[in-house]
């Protein structure tokens, strides 16, 4: 029993590690061509549902499919509404497993993990490392779910479980509830379905109880999904809750019909419909799963234009997600290279303005652990947008543009490299000092002083990027002078006093002053590049204040 528990625990850990690895790889792969390919394969309800059927055949799990699609949403590879339509196909597709008993995908999963893992460590495959990383993450995710099932399925085979299911076989609602609870333990609706088929084959369940078990398993899947995805936010949470809603809609329609038909209140319902398809109690489980998901997914898909806005209001897009989403970039923008360059530079200025979000967290992080988490999320969002802009700038390098436009492109590329350095260095500096901001001693005063100084510059820089105001630009130039002498004085002053700082804080101070010096140098370089672009772009209107989309 202990081995089963630890196996399930290992599976759960690998499941979430695989989801994280897959999501990170998809973000790096989220290029324009990939987004266009995904958009084309899901640009209609039937295409999206068909993609869901394929995904169901590969993953054999609505849980795995939900996490994969959530990663694609975070990487801006697919819109939340289209991902929801894909999930309608996944829900129907996974029912096929019960018609073919089980299909062992371990050979494929092991091969994917092994080959992709080897490829990730070989320099000859370095150009495709992100692709192999995505495959490795997907393999880990599937392998983790398999271990989770392996550790929990034996529980379903215990005499107490099968005996209880047999004892309540005369009460449809109890069978329904028992199946829902069993899902929370076994973590697999197909496994519960197999239990129902086995009990039916042994004569312990009739078709009516088999149908109740299938409906209960789907309801339990909704509860399980809500628990597994409770840490998700924004669009990913919207997708997860759509999947929950699919099962709740199916339950709201099928369970009352089942109970009413069982009580003789209606003449034809799920029992009669499935009896017309098969007289075998075991097959009734598979047909009940399919009927449930056809109703739940079908109705949810039809109502999606009304459901999606409601989900968006209940779980709105987070500020981090908003930061990561471009306001001026479109997939077809490269058809007009000159206009695309203007828009890329506007997006770049918008990204500079968003540096103020990092500064706000560093100035008032609250709890240090929460502050580090918030900083990491903000940095992740900014770097995602940075990557989208970099992609457009790279594509423009191969476009047919004038010599003057090429000069502007060169400045934009240089500014983008500086901006990347500013984001990473600022995050490292904040991470170094954030734990000591509340310290009443020397290190606390030094930490607050450094971050206050950086905050003043970054907030002014954000204002310049937003407004392009001439007076603010003059002030910014004065604020971003060389700080090497100032940092040197701080180091000399506090490091010379042996009793002033603990040894750990002495090392922290040395690192922080070096980072602060580097950050001010990078900010000064970024200010010079931004000033050059604002001056050069003023005649074309690019130096105007950012539109409301920012």
């Amino acid at each position: 029993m202990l081995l089963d528990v630890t196996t399930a625990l290992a599976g759960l850990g690998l499941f979430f590690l695989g989801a994280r690895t897959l999501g990170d790889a998809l973000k790096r792969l989220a290029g324009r061509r990939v987004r266009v390919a995904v958009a084309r394969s899901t640009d209609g309800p039937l295409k999206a549902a068909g993609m869901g059927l394929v995904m169901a055949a590969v993953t054999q799990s609505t849980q795995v499919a939900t996490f994969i699609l959530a990663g694609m949403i975070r990487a801006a590879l697919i819109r939340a509404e289209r991902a929801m339509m894909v999930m309608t196909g996944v829900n129907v597709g996974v029912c096929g497993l019960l018609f073919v008993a089980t299909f062992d995908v371990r050979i494929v999963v092991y091969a994917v993990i092994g080959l992709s893992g080897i490829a990730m460590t070989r320099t000859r495959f370095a150009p495709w490392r992100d692709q192999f990383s995505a495959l490795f993450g997907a393999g880990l995710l599937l392998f983790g779910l398999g271990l989770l099932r392996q550790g929990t399925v034996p529980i379903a085979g215990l005499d107490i479980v099968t005996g209880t299911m047999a004892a309540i076989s005369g009460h449809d609602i109890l069978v329904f509830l028992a199946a829902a609870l069993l899902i929370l333990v076994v973590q697999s609706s197909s496994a519960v379905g197999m239990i129902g088929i086995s009990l039916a084959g042994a004569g312990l369940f009739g078709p009516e109880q088999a149908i109740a078990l299938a409906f209960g398993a789907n309801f339990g899947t909704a509860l399980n999904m809500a628990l597994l995805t409770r840490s998700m936010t924004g669009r990913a949470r919207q997708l997860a809750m759509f999947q929950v809603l699919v099962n709740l809609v199916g339950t709201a329609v099928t369970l009352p019909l089942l109970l009413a038909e069982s009580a003789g209140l209606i003449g034809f319902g799920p029992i009669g419909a499935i009896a017309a398809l098969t007289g075998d109690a075991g097959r009734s489980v598979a047909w009940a799963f399919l009927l449930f998901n056809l109703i739940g997914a079908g109705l949810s898909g039809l109502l999606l234009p009304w459901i999606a806005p409601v989900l968006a209001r209940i779980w709105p897009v987070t500020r981090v997600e908003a930061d990561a989403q471009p306001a001026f970039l479109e997939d077809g923008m490269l058809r007009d290279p000159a206009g695309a360059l203007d828009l890329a530079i506007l997006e770049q200025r918008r990204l500079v303005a968003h540096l103020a979000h990092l500064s706000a967290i560093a100035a008032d992080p609250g709890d240090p652990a929460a502050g580090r988490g918030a900083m990491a999320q903000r940095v992740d969002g900014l770097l995602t947008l940075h990557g989208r802009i970099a992609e457009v700038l790279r594509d423009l390098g191969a476009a047919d543009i004038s010599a003057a436009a090429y000069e502007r492109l060169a400045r934009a590329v240089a500014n983008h490299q500086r901006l990347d350095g500013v984001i990473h260095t600022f995050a490292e500096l904040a991470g170094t000092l954030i734990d000591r901001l509340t310290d009443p001693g020397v290190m606390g005063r030094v930490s607050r002083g450094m971050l206050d100084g950086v905050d003043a510059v970054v907030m002014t820089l954000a204002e310049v990027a937003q407004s392009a105001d001439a007076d603010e630009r003059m002030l910014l130039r004065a604020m971003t002078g060389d700080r090497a002498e100032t940092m040197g004085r701080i180091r000399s002053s506090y490091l010379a006093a042996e009793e002033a700082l603990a040894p750990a804080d002495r090392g922290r101070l040395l690192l922080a002053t070096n980072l602060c010096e580097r950050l001010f140098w990078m900010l000064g370089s970024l200010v010079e590049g931004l000033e050059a672009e604002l001056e050069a772009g003023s005649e074309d209107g690019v130096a105007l204040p950012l539109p409301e989309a920012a």
Side-chain angles (χ1 to χ4, degrees):
M1 189 66 179
L2 180 60
L3 179 61
D4 292 334
V5 173
T6 53
T7 299
L9 183 62
L12 190 63
L14 289 174
F15 179 86
F16 286 115
L17 176 61
R20 178 64 178 269
T21 303
L22 176 63
D24 290 344
L26 287 173
K27 287 181 182 179
R28 295 191 296 271
L29 287 170
R32 181 174 56 84
R33 292 179 180 85
V34 176
R35 287 195 304 277
V36 170
V38 173
R40 287 176 177 171
S41 64
T42 59
D43 62 359
L46 293 180
K47 282 187 178 181
M51 183 178 179
L53 292 174
V54 173
M55 186 173 287
V58 174
T59 65
Q60 304 186 28
S61 168
T62 55
Q63 295 171 351
V64 174
T66 300
F67 275 83
I68 290 176
L69 287 169
M72 294 175 69
I73 290 172
R74 292 193 188 99
L77 286 173
I78 189 171
R79 297 204 322 266
E81 293 82 358
R82 288 186 179 180
M84 292 174 190
M85 186 56 69
V86 172
M87 282 306 302
T88 62
V90 171
N91 278 277
V92 175
V94 294
C95 299
L97 291 175
L98 295 173
F99 286 96
V100 296
T102 57
F103 175 64
D104 194 346
V105 296
R106 285 180 297 175
I107 294 176
V108 176
V109 171
Y110 295 164
V112 167
I113 292 175
L115 294 176
S116 60
I118 292 170
M120 288 169 62
T121 63
R122 295 292 184 268
T123 54
R124 65 187 296 181
F125 296 115
W128 303 282
R129 184 163 292 156
D130 289 337
Q131 286 88 336
F132 285 119
S133 181
L135 286 173
F136 186 74
L140 276 184
L141 196 150
L142 286 166
F143 181 58
L145 184 63
L147 283 182
L148 184 60
R149 291 173 177 170
Q150 181 181 329
T152 55
V153 165
I155 298 173
L158 296 176
D159 290 341
I160 188 173
V161 175
T162 55
T164 301
M165 296 298 289
I168 62 175
S169 61
H171 307 279
D172 294 348
I173 193 63
L174 292 181
V175 173
F176 174 90
L177 293 175
L181 292 175
L182 196 55
I183 283 289
L184 300 179
V185 177
V186 177
Q187 297 287 314
S188 170
S189 59
S190 58
V192 174
M194 293 303 169
I195 294 171
I197 291 174
S198 300
L199 291 172
L204 299 175
F205 267 17
E208 184 177 327
Q209 290 73 41
I211 295 169
L213 179 137
F215 292 173
N218 280 282
F219 178 70
T221 299
L223 300 179
N224 193 46
M225 180 64 68
L227 291 173
L228 280 177
T229 61
R230 63 187 182 277
S231 62
M232 288 184 177
T233 58
R235 294 185 178 93
R237 182 65 168 168
Q238 293 171 26
L239 173 67
M241 295 313 294
F242 175 78
Q243 171 57 27
V244 171
L245 188 62
V246 167
N247 288 307
L248 293 181
V249 169
T251 300
V253 174
T254 59
L255 182 60
L257 290 176
L258 173 65
L259 296 177
E261 186 179 12
S262 178
L265 299 178
I266 58 175
F268 185 82
I271 300 173
I274 293 174
L277 296 169
T278 180
D280 180 73
R283 287 234 171 231
S284 296
V285 176
W287 280 110
F289 267 91
L290 181 59
L291 176 65
F292 182 100
N293 284 284
L294 283 173
I295 292 174
L299 289 177
S300 299
L302 291 173
L303 297 174
L304 184 58
W306 295 274
I307 292 174
V310 173
L311 294 176
R313 283 195 296 272
I314 300 174
W315 293 280
V317 174
T318 64
R319 289 300 302 269
V320 174
E321 284 183 300
D323 284 354
Q325 295 299 315
F328 302 109
L329 306 183
E330 299 288 345
D331 287 329
M333 63 189 294
L334 292 177
R335 287 192 290 267
D336 176 17
L341 179 57
D342 287 342
L343 293 173
I345 291 172
L346 285 174
E347 197 70 68
Q348 191 179 70
R349 284 175 53 193
R350 177 173 172 264
L351 178 57
V352 172
H354 283 333
L355 290 175
H357 299 323
L358 296 184
S359 188
I361 295 172
D364 184 20
D367 177 69
R372 282 194 299 272
M375 179 67 71
Q377 289 181 344
R378 283 292 188 184
V379 168
D380 185 61
L382 295 182
L383 290 178
T384 298
L385 180 58
H386 184 280
R388 292 288 302 274
I389 300 169
E391 173 195 326
V392 173
L393 295 178
R394 283 194 302 269
D395 288 343
L396 283 170
D400 183 15
I401 56 178
S402 66
Y406 199 83
E407 287 297 320
R408 289 186 64 209
L409 175 61
R411 282 195 300 271
V413 170
N415 283 342
H416 217 53
Q417 293 171 342
R418 295 167 181 139
L419 187 51
D420 181 70
V422 166
I423 294 171
H424 282 99
T425 305
F426 192 176
E428 187 177 358
L429 175 63
T432 302
L433 298 178
I434 204 167
D435 288 332
R436 306 312 303 267
L437 289 177
T438 57
D439 188 338
V442 173
M443 196 62 204
R445 293 196 300 272
V446 174
S447 299
R448 289 189 295 272
M450 283 188 191
L451 291 179
D452 285 346
V454 173
D455 179 65
V457 175
V458 169
M459 296 300 287
T460 306
L461 175 61
E463 177 61 30
V464 168
Q466 184 78 29
S467 67
D469 182 77
D471 292 336
E472 294 285 351
R473 288 154 62 183
M474 185 180 300
L475 174 62
L476 186 59
R477 286 195 296 271
M479 296 174 71
T480 53
D482 186 5
R483 299 299 178 101
E485 184 178 348
T486 302
M487 294 299 107
R489 285 200 303 270
I490 293 175
R491 282 193 294 266
S492 299
S493 173
Y494 290 106
L495 294 179
E498 293 289 340
E499 71 284 355
L501 293 172
D505 282 341
R506 290 166 64 82
R508 190 190 299 261
L509 177 63
L510 182 62
L511 175 60
T513 51
N514 283 325
L515 287 171
C516 195
E517 183 179 335
R518 186 201 312 169
L519 179 58
F520 271 101
W521 179 84
M522 289 179 171
L523 285 168
S525 180
L526 180 60
V527 167
E528 291 178 4
L530 181 61
E531 178 70 17
E533 176 52 44
L534 291 175
E535 290 291 340
S538 58
E539 295 181 1
D540 299 323
V542 183
L544 295 174
L546 288 181
E548 288 298 320

